[in-house]
Amino acid sequence: MNVCGRYTLLAEELDILEAFGISNPIEEYQPRYNIAPGQNILAIVSDGQKKKADYLKWGLVPNWAKDPKIGYKMINARTESAADKPSFKRLMEQRRCLIVADSFYEWKRNGKEKQPLRISLQDRKLFAFAGLWDRWKVGDQELVTCTILTKEPNDFMSEIHNRMPVILPKDKELDWIEKEKKDPYEMRDFLLGLPDEALTAYEVSSYVNNAKNDGADCVLPLA
């Protein structure tokens, strides 16, 4: 199981627009209980003037890739090495995005079993993962895809998993997506130096294990 391989976005559209200062409506927005790799996910990019919310396919397909199936292996990128990797270096410079969420799932090993947990921020509902995006085009086939950056776990997450997604503090979101070209190592250090926000978690049922299950039962606390 990838780190940050599933998450939720249950907020109302208006709350998302307000939280992230977006003026364009989100086409065909639907709250989601079990967002999975390979699906279209809500991301925010900046053109230097304003922020725009749109759907990107989760699973990065670099613009030089021969086969778009590579995306299934690239749902996450390690922040520590992203500035060194051909797939991510150019994106760290100029193709950074926010991936909108309100909780994520992680599976904690419990003997031979893995117990799913729903993890969210203690003090605010909506947040953004740090993401990277790219555009792949061959003939008339085009994909705009993204990946979620991960890092070493904080004290809270280390009890659950050996990696965690990078969650941007509210006042650092614009710094991450501003349009200017940046040094990829500077952006790596920016992410690794972010303060940790307090997290909370509770156990949910194995219903969430199946990516086809996308209903309220996914987030019900385990009895």
Side-chain angles (χ1 to χ4, degrees):
M1 178 66 67
N2 283 280
V3 60
C4 199
R6 301 286 178 75
Y7 69 97
T8 72
L9 181 53
L10 307 179
E12 298 292 329
E13 180 183 0
L14 195 60
D15 293 337
I16 296 170
L17 300 181
E18 284 181 359
F20 292 97
I22 304 292
S23 50
N24 68 295
I26 304 165
E27 286 184 32
E28 297 178 25
Y29 175 72
Q30 292 284 334
R32 296 284 314 280
Y33 291 89
N34 196 5
I35 300 167
Q39 298 175 353
N40 288 330
I41 65 175
L42 188 65
I44 295 170
V45 295
S46 171
D47 64 4
Q49 300 297 315
K50 60 179 182 179
K51 292 174 281 184
K52 185 174 189 298
D54 214 342
Y55 285 97
L56 307 178
K57 187 172 181 180
W58 186 10
L60 190 83
V61 181
N63 66 354
W64 44 261
K66 296 209 167 33
D67 186 348
K69 288 194 182 76
I70 193 174
Y72 286 100
K73 295 177 181 171
M74 297 176 73
I75 70 163
N76 295 145
R78 293 175 74 93
T79 301
E80 296 89 343
S81 57
D84 300 309
K85 296 280 173 76
S87 307
F88 307 127
K89 182 173 185 172
R90 181 178 51 87
L91 311 182
M92 289 286 278
E93 287 177 350
Q94 224 166 4
R95 291 198 158 173
R96 302 177 299 274
C97 63
L98 306 177
I99 294 168
V100 184
D102 50 24
S103 74
F104 62 100
Y105 298 106
E106 199 48 82
W107 281 256
K108 181 179 182 178
R109 187 166 287 287
N110 192 354
K112 289 186 177 178
E113 302 292 309
K114 281 189 174 179
Q115 172 60 52
L117 295 143
R118 184 187 182 204
I119 301 154
S120 56
L121 295 184
Q122 278 185 16
D123 62 347
R124 62 187 171 113
K125 286 184 179 173
L126 276 164
F127 59 85
F129 299 123
L132 301 171
W133 69 276
D134 208 355
R135 191 184 303 276
W136 177 89
K137 195 168 183 183
V138 171
D140 52 7
Q141 191 183 3
E142 184 176 57
L143 287 173
V144 186
T145 62
C146 63
T147 187
I148 293 174
L149 285 149
T150 67
K151 63 175 183 175
E152 291 282 322
N154 60 19
D155 290 346
F156 180 90
M157 282 299 298
S158 64
E159 301 287 311
I160 299 168
H161 202 278
N162 62 0
R163 302 288 294 170
M164 69 177 287
V166 177
I167 296 171
L168 290 156
K170 192 74 202 153
D171 62 352
K172 300 296 183 187
E173 290 170 354
L174 266 178
D175 295 335
W176 175 245
I177 60 166
E178 64 180 347
K179 185 69 174 163
E180 285 82 32
K181 191 169 181 177
K182 297 279 190 173
D183 177 83
Y185 295 99
E186 185 188 318
M187 297 318 287
R188 174 200 66 190
D189 294 345
F190 166 79
L191 291 183
L192 294 178
L194 292 173
D196 284 322
E197 293 188 73
L199 298 169
T200 182
Y202 64 85
E203 295 182 348
V204 293
S205 86
S206 56
Y207 180 78
V208 76
N209 293 6
N210 187 337
K212 290 178 180 167
N213 295 334
D214 189 15
D217 285 356
C218 291
V219 300
L220 282 178
L222 206 59

